Amino acid sequence: MSPVLLFSLVIVYFLLLLVVAWFTSRNANNESFFIGNRGSNWMLVAFGMIGTSLSGVTFVSVPGTVGIESFSYFQIIIGNLIGYIVVAYVLLPIYYKMNLTSIYNYLQVRLGFASYKVGASFFILSRILGATARLYLVVNILHFTILERFGLPFWVAAFIILLMILLYTFEGGVKTIVWTDTLQTACMLIGLIVCVYYILSNLDMSLLDGTKALAEKGYSNIFVTDPASKYFFVKQIVAGAFISITMTGMDQEMMQKNISVRTLKDSQKNMMTFAVIFMLVVLLFLFLGGLLQLFAESKGIAARGDSLFPTIALEYMPAAVSIIFIIALISALFPSADGAITALTASFCIDILGINRNANMDDKEKKRTRQIVHLTFAALFLLMVMVFKWMNNPSMIGLILKIAAFTYGPLLGLFAFGILTKRSVNDPLVPVVVVISPVLCFILDMFQSKIFGGYQIGLELLFINGLLTFLGLWLIPGKNLQK
């Protein structure tokens, strides 16, 4: 397919986003950028959050795992549902009661200023690593399929895409992203459905026939019953619950959209609606992954893992379906980066620089500071994408979940300690605890075969990390305990 045509599609899609951004960012201020003036429609937020949560990694990497892991990834998604219930009915009431702009202000009120700063810092670290890993995967595909044919090096491709994202988020922030994410989620889901329909038609199967074929091949097996396996269903479900609690409920990017909704009740409806739809969409992605395996076997295609879906979509499907795939892939790309840069800007400005606490800064100075921070994070994203290009990991979803175990664990421990206990802490020592905990987990992960023999630690490393942080906080009590 002509790279000129594909690149033209990217430009047209980007111009559409700019039009949406122009309409939504008029008369925008810092409150619009950070929390959308608390006027977001809960149904739009719920739908748009699907695109943010899925990202290009789910779009490409999850179908690619089916050939090795069958549908076992869905065990994590079952756990996610449990976690989303906790987010909706435990965390959101706290955030709304305290009228928070940054959710990490809760840590300042409950534990102290150092706890607040270190919590925000771990979010920034987590989101930079996770978002840039997701961004790298899709940029790599777009570079290979389109921009490389124009003779552009990879870093130029990454720069162009980040520049596009900057242009439509620079003014409106969350107020714009709520709408652009809705558009992008719709395009991504349309692409998913079209690809499923095409493969079923090519294999001369109905939906029921496809389901039976996957079951016969063992691709649709969900539950792993071997307790020693890192995919054991109990471990995966528990890990999935903690992943959604931390990566959604303790993540400023995800929560800034939820707390931009008018009322707590609407925000809870948003969360639970999103949770159910998210499960169904991931199940459809896994079904697509199984169909891709059947298609590859029938055509003798050697591609596996993250390269399977792009290879089939761009080399073995009609031009019209390939175009839809590219549009869907772009739609999966932007939500994973635009919201991340916006949330990082918000957290750094509010939590680290404290612009809302600085009475000496007028609105113009605050806006200028926000814009400089926004540009800085975009540059940092470019640098990190280049690092992931150098690493060239064959399965990005596994890498992202491993990163989350190390970086979100301390956030889990901090919030859990604040919510589940009434103890105070020696606040200046909190940064020491939250650094030691992931270091201990790293050592445990490195030497687990020597320590546990045949038992494999998987995603439960996130829970272990949070537990170590919790215990560390318990061991550094403050002078005055809360009554």
Side-chain angles (χ1 to χ4, degrees):
M1 186 182 300
S2 167
V4 175
L5 174 61
L6 292 176
F7 189 63
S8 299
L9 287 170
V10 174
I11 296 301
V12 170
Y13 184 84
F14 168 65
L15 291 174
L16 179 60
L17 292 179
L18 279 182
V19 171
V20 174
W22 183 79
F23 277 106
T24 56
S25 63
R26 288 178 296 177
N27 302 316
N29 53 26
N30 276 352
E31 188 179 3
S32 308
F33 188 94
F34 295 145
I35 55 171
N37 301 109
R38 297 194 188 277
S40 302
N41 182 283
W42 72 266
M43 289 182 286
L44 289 178
V45 173
F47 191 69
M49 279 178 63
I50 296 169
T52 305
S53 298
L54 293 174
S55 78
V57 172
T58 306
F59 193 79
V60 173
S61 200
V62 167
T65 64
V66 174
I68 301 172
E69 302 171 10
S70 299
F71 279 21
S72 63
Y73 181 73
F74 197 70
Q75 297 174 131
I76 297 174
I77 306 305
I78 295 171
N80 285 164
L81 179 61
I82 299 170
Y84 291 137
I85 294 171
V86 174
V87 173
Y89 296 102
V90 177
L91 294 178
L92 280 176
I94 294 172
Y95 300 155
Y96 270 84
K97 182 179 180 180
M98 298 177 68
N99 195 32
L100 299 178
T101 300
S102 167
I103 62 173
Y104 306 111
N105 281 127
Y106 167 77
L107 297 176
Q108 180 180 9
V109 174
R110 176 62 185 83
L111 300 176
F113 193 69
S115 303
Y116 161 54
K117 287 283 188 179
V118 79
S121 297
F122 262 86
F123 158 71
I124 291 171
L125 175 64
S126 303
R127 184 47 68 181
I128 288 173
L129 294 174
T132 52
R134 294 180 176 94
L135 180 62
Y136 155 72
L137 177 64
V138 184
V139 170
N140 197 41
I141 295 171
L142 291 176
H143 176 247
F144 175 74
T145 56
I146 303 175
L147 298 176
E148 188 178 43
R149 301 184 189 183
F150 291 101
L152 297 177
F154 178 83
W155 75 267
V156 174
F159 176 81
I160 291 172
I161 290 169
L162 280 166
L163 180 62
M164 290 178 176
I165 292 168
L166 267 178
L167 288 175
Y168 76 82
T169 61
F170 200 61
E171 288 295 329
V174 171
K175 191 174 181 181
T176 295
I177 286 171
V178 166
W179 287 94
T180 55
D181 280 2
T182 300
L183 170 65
Q184 290 161 174
T185 299
C187 290
M188 183 170 60
L189 295 182
I190 289 170
L192 170 63
I193 293 169
V194 168
C195 289
V196 168
Y197 176 79
Y198 170 78
I199 295 178
L200 283 173
S201 299
N202 186 272
L203 296 175
D204 195 25
M205 291 181 177
S206 65
L207 188 63
L208 182 59
D209 292 334
T211 303
K212 290 179 178 178
L214 295 186
E216 290 172 0
K217 289 278 189 176
Y219 288 140
S220 59
N221 295 336
I222 294 176
F223 296 103
V224 177
T225 56
D226 179 9
S229 171
K230 64 180 179 180
Y231 300 114
F232 180 48
F233 77 95
V234 174
K235 293 195 291 185
Q236 294 286 91
I237 291 173
V238 171
F242 282 107
I243 284 170
S244 56
I245 290 170
T246 53
M247 296 182 71
T248 298
M250 298 172 187
D251 184 287
Q252 177 67 18
E253 177 185 354
M254 300 300 290
M255 285 296 98
Q256 72 178 3
K257 296 172 186 177
N258 277 275
I259 61 180
S260 74
V261 175
R262 295 181 183 88
T263 66
L264 170 61
K265 185 177 179 180
D266 281 348
S267 186
Q268 289 172 326
K269 286 192 293 186
N270 151 58
M271 179 56 62
M272 297 316 302
T273 301
F274 154 73
V276 173
I277 297 175
F278 179 73
M279 289 186 72
L280 297 175
V281 171
V282 172
L283 189 60
L284 187 57
F285 268 108
L286 290 168
F287 182 69
L288 170 63
L291 294 179
L292 290 170
Q293 293 295 326
L294 296 178
F295 187 90
E297 291 167 7
S298 68
K299 305 294 184 183
I301 300 171
R304 293 292 181 269
D306 291 351
S307 64
L308 177 62
F309 192 11
T311 298
I312 292 176
L314 297 174
E315 297 180 17
Y316 293 88
M317 291 184 179
V321 181
S322 297
I323 289 172
I324 292 172
F325 169 80
I326 288 293
I327 293 173
L329 187 64
I330 299 167
S331 300
L333 160 67
F334 283 144
S336 64
D338 58 14
I341 294 177
T342 303
L344 288 165
T345 300
S347 182
F348 195 84
C349 288
I350 296 169
D351 302 321
I352 306 301
L353 299 181
I355 64 172
N356 287 356
R357 300 189 300 270
N358 191 339
N360 297 321
M361 294 180 70
D362 59 26
D363 288 342
K364 288 185 177 179
E365 288 179 292
K366 290 179 180 179
K367 183 175 181 178
R368 185 166 57 251
T369 299
R370 187 201 79 210
Q371 290 174 336
I372 292 171
V373 171
H374 201 66
L375 290 169
T376 303
F377 273 115
L380 184 57
F381 267 45
L382 177 60
L383 176 63
M384 289 304 303
V385 166
M386 296 306 298
V387 170
F388 283 113
K389 175 66 173 176
W390 172 74
M391 291 173 61
N392 194 28
N393 190 285
S395 180
M396 292 304 296
I397 193 163
L399 178 62
I400 288 168
L401 292 175
K402 177 60 73 73
I403 289 172
F406 289 112
T407 59
Y408 280 96
L411 282 173
L412 175 61
L414 284 166
F415 275 90
F417 188 88
I419 294 169
L420 299 178
T421 79
K422 293 185 177 181
R423 292 171 64 93
S424 61
V425 295
N426 189 339
D427 189 48
L429 293 180
V430 170
V432 177
V433 171
V434 299
V435 169
I436 290 175
S437 296
V439 170
L440 291 176
C441 285
F442 178 77
I443 294 171
L444 184 65
D445 185 54
M446 286 288 291
F447 298 100
Q448 60 174 289
S449 60
K450 295 181 180 179
I451 298 172
F452 301 107
Y455 182 86
Q456 299 179 53
I457 295 179
L459 297 177
E460 68 267 32
L461 194 64
L462 172 64
F463 172 75
I464 295 170
N465 197 352
L467 180 61
L468 288 174
T469 302
F470 187 100
L471 294 175
L473 296 174
W474 190 275
L475 295 175
I476 54 166
K479 293 181 179 179
N480 300 311
L481 298 181
Q482 294 184 3
K483 296 182 180 179

